[in-house]
Amino acid sequence: MKTRITPLITGILLASGTASAASLDVKITNLTQGIYFTPLLVSAHTSNAMLFQTGEQASEALQAMAEGGSLTGLSEILTGVNANTMENPAGGLLGPVASTMTSLETDAGNDRLSIVAMMLPTNDGFVGLNSWPIPTAPGTYHIYLNAYDAGTEANNELVVDGSGAPNTPGIPASPGAAPGTQGSGVTETESNTLVHIHRGNLGDDDTTGGKSDLHNTVHRWLNPVAKVTVTVK
Amino acid sequence: MKLFRLTLPAACLVLAACGSDNDDPMPTTMPDEDMQMVDDPAPVDPVDPVDPVDPVDPTPTTVELMITATNLTYAQPLSPIAVALHQEGQFWQVGEPASNALEVLAEGGDNSDLLALGVVQSKASATAPLPPGKKTQLTLTHDSLDGQKLSLISMMVNTNDGFTGLNALDVSAMTVGQAMTFTTHAYDAGTEANTEAQGTIPGPADGGTGFSADREALNKVAMHPGVVGMDDGLTTSVLTSSHKFDNPLMTVTITRTK
């Protein structure tokens, strides 16, 4: 599992020695009108670690998060690099325009902040913050996050029970508005297999049939999809 | 690295803005500074720029802000742009229900109720909608910038309840000659379902009804998901591909001229 992420982590923990421990409050707001975030992963880590990077292939751990919301693999990796991590601050799904707040005590050297969560309903879409440099100056900082596609699953937009497992096509759940049924599938291929900015859900206006099980007036979004407010104390 | 460059200037500005939030009586944790710098911002000057009891010049100073807004969309006229100076409150908050004044603006493009709010201390409104690609200029004057925030708002008229603007931007530390440039996001008032149906959109794409007091189920302000249109799968829509938009919606430059 760790082999794919190894080039990003590099395996060498260069202790900077200068970045000191910090105490952070992190508020995360879902800015969308119809998309839910699965349990969030909020982590402070060294500049040598990354949870994801655009233009690179997703790790298996990232794939499991993006396709099914599982944080197990990413958490293991973060524990392995002595990151300071908070899992699931919202205690479940973070719904449209809802906010959650958490605190994070960071160890010296863990001076980058990353956040990920799967976006529902999508096939392998996730909201992400990659290695934001945590300021040393106390204050309140605002960051806007984009929606990414892990590039690991075709965006067929079909809601299928149990499809959260890697390599099982489909969207595992559609919280909120009931999804359509019996869609024929938007696409069967994922030609860009690297992490990229999500092109958005297509949806359709058929509750039964059509290409997509999603609704085009409910399940689309424009970036940014989340706002993060970090207070450095 | 791009993220870093985009977020840090905004973070600096917001940091400077945070000192005055504590006495804000609105049910808010902080101003929703939904905006991004597009140019290198001039550093925010922490020194109070206006000294009303300056012994050298005892006459009151008139502050003047010039606001230039450009419509970046393809085919979304923006309803007459409203700008206001205020020390308290916000025209909108993501996650909170829209006020009635906001609903009137977002569904019909009428900014008069928002500009009539008690918190507004100085205001200006364009006299006509801003066509796509065009630019307009507004001027705000006041006797002091102490504690002042600037808000700007306009409806995308070919939507059900979409609007864009700047939300309680701290301008209290602007110095004469200083300019700041922002881009704006699209919001959904959450007061009218995005049916895009005939008769529901006040802009030229439809000529339908603007404000209606009914509220849709969500009833909370969110980021706008964009319009779908008949060309992109919403067969009952009066909109076409030409009415689609993406963030950002406007470029706004604020210059302190006096």
Side-chain angles (χ1 to χ4, degrees):
Chain A
M1 175 186 296
K2 289 184 186 177
T3 49
R4 273 204 213 158
I5 205 170
T6 302
L8 299 181
I9 294 182
T10 74
I12 304 163
L13 299 177
L14 298 169
S16 70
T18 52
S20 51
S23 181
L24 312 176
D25 283 341
V26 181
K27 181 186 178 190
I28 302 163
T29 302
N30 177 346
L31 297 174
T32 71
Q33 204 178 26
I35 302 294
Y36 291 73
F37 297 164
T38 61
L40 288 144
L41 183 67
V42 182
S43 185
H45 52 77
T46 69
S47 56
N48 300 304
M50 279 191 194
L51 297 181
F52 70 95
Q53 189 170 28
T54 49
E56 302 281 344
Q57 195 162 46
S59 65
E60 288 175 22
L62 186 78
Q63 178 181 7
M65 184 282 298
E67 295 185 14
S70 168
L71 299 180
T72 311
L74 290 176
S75 283
E76 266 181 36
I77 291 169
L78 288 166
T79 302
V81 298
N82 298 312
N84 304 110
T85 302
M86 171 62 72
E87 279 185 51
N88 195 14
L93 297 175
L94 188 68
V97 300
S99 295
T100 185
M101 179 87 94
T102 188
S103 296
L104 206 57
E105 303 294 326
T106 71
D107 293 326
N110 286 341
D111 58 358
R112 297 289 190 274
L113 183 69
S114 290
I115 298 172
V116 291
M118 181 191 185
M119 293 169 59
L120 283 175
T122 69
N123 285 87
D124 60 340
F126 67 98
V127 56
L129 173 65
N130 178 15
S131 301
W132 182 69
I134 301 168
T136 51
T140 301
Y141 303 84
H142 299 287
I143 317 158
Y144 290 92
L145 310 191
N146 290 325
Y148 297 89
D149 188 308
T152 55
E153 182 173 300
N155 293 351
N156 66 11
E157 300 190 7
L158 300 180
V159 178
V160 179
D161 268 351
S163 64
N167 306 315
T168 308
I171 297 171
S174 178
T181 57
Q182 301 170 51
S184 61
V186 172
T187 179
E188 293 178 356
T189 57
E190 181 78 352
S191 55
N192 182 347
T193 57
L194 308 179
V195 176
H196 53 274
I197 291 285
H198 202 293
R199 62 191 187 270
N201 282 334
L202 180 66
D204 60 32
D205 59 358
D206 297 306
T207 51
T208 309
K211 282 186 177 179
S212 172
D213 285 348
L214 306 183
H215 303 306
N216 55 19
T217 56
V218 177
H219 293 127
R220 293 187 177 190
W221 69 83
L222 299 176
N223 284 322
V225 295
K227 177 180 179 178
V228 177
T229 303
V230 178
T231 304
V232 180
K233 291 188 271 194
Chain B
M1 284 313 287
K2 191 172 182 193
L3 180 69
F4 180 85
R5 286 203 310 271
L6 273 177
T7 54
L8 224 57
C12 296
L13 178 88
V14 171
L15 178 59
C18 287
S20 60
D21 296 346
N22 294 336
D23 45 8
D24 188 338
M26 297 284 286
T28 173
T29 50
M30 62 197 60
D32 187 41
E33 304 275 5
D34 281 325
M35 60 199 67
Q36 292 172 309
M37 291 284 192
V38 293
D39 290 335
D40 248 357
V44 176
D45 188 344
V47 180
D48 187 336
V50 177
D51 184 358
V53 292
D54 186 345
V56 180
D57 179 12
T59 55
T61 311
T62 299
V63 173
E64 184 180 87
L65 298 179
M66 195 176 73
I67 299 102
T68 306
T70 306
N71 182 342
L72 302 175
T73 70
Y74 179 75
Q76 284 285 349
L78 296 171
S79 70
I81 291 174
V83 287
L85 287 176
H86 54 103
Q87 291 179 306
E88 299 168 355
Q90 293 175 252
F91 283 175
W92 74 90
Q93 282 179 272
V94 170
E96 297 294 326
S99 65
N100 288 334
L102 177 64
E103 183 182 7
V104 167
L105 175 283
E107 294 182 9
D110 177 1
N111 63 35
S112 55
D113 286 4
L114 281 173
L115 289 179
L117 292 175
V119 293
V120 171
Q121 300 189 356
S122 173
K123 60 188 175 186
S125 172
T127 52
L130 181 62
K134 298 295 186 185
K135 192 177 287 191
T136 189
Q137 201 167 80
L138 295 163
T139 303
L140 284 174
T141 55
H142 201 53
D143 53 8
S144 161
L145 279 185
D146 278 356
Q148 294 290 346
K149 297 167 186 176
L150 184 147
S151 287
L152 180 151
I153 193 165
S154 173
M155 177 194 185
M156 294 87 81
V157 300
N158 287 325
T159 65
N160 287 94
D161 60 343
F163 69 97
T164 185
L166 299 174
N167 193 350
L169 168 69
D170 191 326
V171 292
S172 63
M174 284 190 81
T175 54
V176 176
Q178 186 184 348
M180 301 192 293
T181 298
F182 304 91
T183 54
T184 69
H185 290 144
Y187 302 89
D188 189 308
T191 56
E192 180 177 315
N194 293 343
T195 62
E196 305 177 13
Q198 188 167 25
T200 67
I201 290 177
D206 182 28
T209 304
F211 171 70
S212 148
D214 296 340
R215 297 255 171 151
E216 68 166 298
L218 178 71
N219 198 19
K220 286 175 183 170
V221 179
M223 297 289 290
H224 203 290
V227 296
V228 181
M230 63 179 85
D231 298 322
D232 201 13
L234 186 57
T235 46
T236 52
S237 175
V238 295
L239 304 180
T240 69
S241 68
S242 69
H243 302 112
K244 293 173 82 74
F245 55 83
D246 201 347
N247 290 316
L249 276 284
M250 277 195 281
T251 300
V252 179
T253 299
I254 303 163
T255 309
R256 181 171 172 187
T257 43
K258 285 182 191 170

